[in-house]
Amino acid sequence: MAIERVDSFPRPHKFTVEEYFAFEERSEFKHEYIDGVIYDWGDPDPNDPVHPDYVPGYPMPHLFTVEEYLAFENESEFKHEFIDGIIYEMTGGTLYHSRIKVNMTFALELRLRDSHFTVCNSDMRVGIGQGRYVYPDLSVFMGEAQLTHDDMTLINAILVVEVLSPTTADYDRSTKLAYYQSLPSLRGYLIVDQYGVGIDAYSRRNGGWLHQTFSEIDDVIPLDMIGCQLPLSEVYRGIVFSED
């Protein structure tokens, strides 16, 4: 079974020599390493999933297990997302990206303080099924946190937020949207533009998803799933966009 490579995905992680040796030391099997890519050694098993970059006649790039990803992530200085056996780079943030995240975290924390909801920043990993692990820019859960993997992966997020970056905008609006919507606990997903006033809000309604677009600074987003409203004026507080 071939795993689909989606063009909008972030860039797969390029492993350093040190990361390769650390991985090889943990593994019970042998792997080759060429130009930042770890390859399986020997012929692929025809019954195993096929890496999207595999070329018949050449070694197959390694598809990581969840356990291998988590071991790598625990040792890494940086965060990486994991989708269907492939470890992906996280993109760096701009000033506006950072400010919007802070503004939204502060605005929601003020509204949800002393409630049954808890706000988490982008350090909290969110698990989607058995083979996908991502880091939303902000997440909210209700009641007690349901955590796995040494209390580092949240599996009962009720709301997630992604602030768009140029390299991941298509991914956040399409494939990642579908991933989030498959999470049983999730009731809302906000996609926030960092280059102009604009938020796409998805909310679960009657077995489907309602999509609303907010593009005026005076707009207010109803967040019924967490019992509050979010003004765009607070999301974009202190940010002045160029007229160009």
Side-chain angles (χ1 to χ4, degrees):
M1 177 187 68
I3 292 177
E4 182 181 4
R5 163 62 56 79
V6 180
D7 291 338
S8 63
F9 273 12
R11 185 181 67 177
H13 178 68
K14 290 289 187 181
F15 291 85
T16 65
V17 172
E18 293 76 16
E19 289 170 342
Y20 161 67
F21 282 128
F23 169 76
E24 195 73 348
E25 185 176 353
R26 289 191 298 265
S27 179
E28 62 177 308
F29 303 105
K30 292 183 291 187
H31 303 84
E32 296 181 338
Y33 173 81
I34 301 172
D35 298 332
V37 180
I38 296 174
Y39 293 89
D40 289 337
W41 189 79
D43 295 328
D45 188 322
N47 297 316
D48 287 343
V50 177
H51 194 287
D53 294 334
Y54 173 61
V55 177
Y58 289 83
M60 187 170 76
H62 182 67
L63 287 171
F64 293 84
T65 66
V66 171
E67 293 73 22
E68 289 169 342
Y69 159 69
L70 293 172
F72 167 76
E73 193 73 344
N74 288 340
E75 295 179 357
S76 178
E77 180 182 356
F78 304 103
K79 298 194 295 284
H80 305 81
E81 296 192 332
F82 179 76
I83 305 293
D84 299 333
I86 302 176
I87 297 174
Y88 290 97
E89 300 279 7
M90 295 279 291
T91 58
T94 63
L95 175 62
Y96 281 6
H97 190 282
S98 177
R99 290 301 308 159
I100 289 170
K101 284 170 46 177
V102 170
N103 284 347
M104 294 194 73
T105 303
F106 180 72
L108 289 177
E109 180 67 22
L110 282 179
R111 287 163 172 78
L112 299 179
R113 186 174 297 171
D114 300 323
S115 74
H116 296 295
F117 300 98
T118 302
V119 182
C120 299
N121 67 14
S122 57
D123 289 333
M124 177 54 68
R125 183 169 56 220
V126 170
I128 303 172
Q130 297 300 312
R132 294 167 182 164
Y133 298 88
V134 298
Y135 291 91
D137 288 313
L138 185 152
S139 58
V140 179
F141 65 88
M142 180 175 64
E144 294 293 328
Q146 296 178 21
L147 302 168
T148 62
H149 308 127
D150 296 328
D151 293 342
M152 298 179 65
T153 304
L154 181 70
I155 60 173
N156 66 323
I158 191 171
L159 172 70
V160 292
V161 177
E162 295 284 1
V163 181
L164 294 178
S165 297
T167 56
T168 60
D170 291 341
Y171 171 53
D172 290 337
R173 291 187 183 279
S174 56
T175 306
K176 206 169 194 180
L177 167 64
Y179 291 161
Y180 281 137
Q181 289 178 333
S182 72
L183 189 61
S185 65
L186 199 74
R187 294 295 178 268
Y189 175 37
L190 301 182
I191 303 175
V192 185
D193 194 346
Q194 67 161 308
Y195 294 107
V197 175
I199 298 179
D200 287 293
Y202 294 84
S203 55
R204 197 186 294 268
R205 301 282 180 86
N206 301 320
W209 286 85
L210 173 66
H211 175 210
Q212 297 173 285
T213 300
F214 300 87
S215 57
E216 301 294 334
I217 197 65
D218 293 328
D219 285 345
V220 177
I221 303 174
L223 298 176
D224 297 341
M225 75 290 298
I226 57 174
C228 69
Q229 296 181 326
L230 180 65
L232 269 67
S233 60
E234 295 193 27
V235 174
Y236 293 102
R237 183 185 300 276
I239 296 175
V240 179
F241 295 109
S242 171
E243 296 291 336
D244 298 334

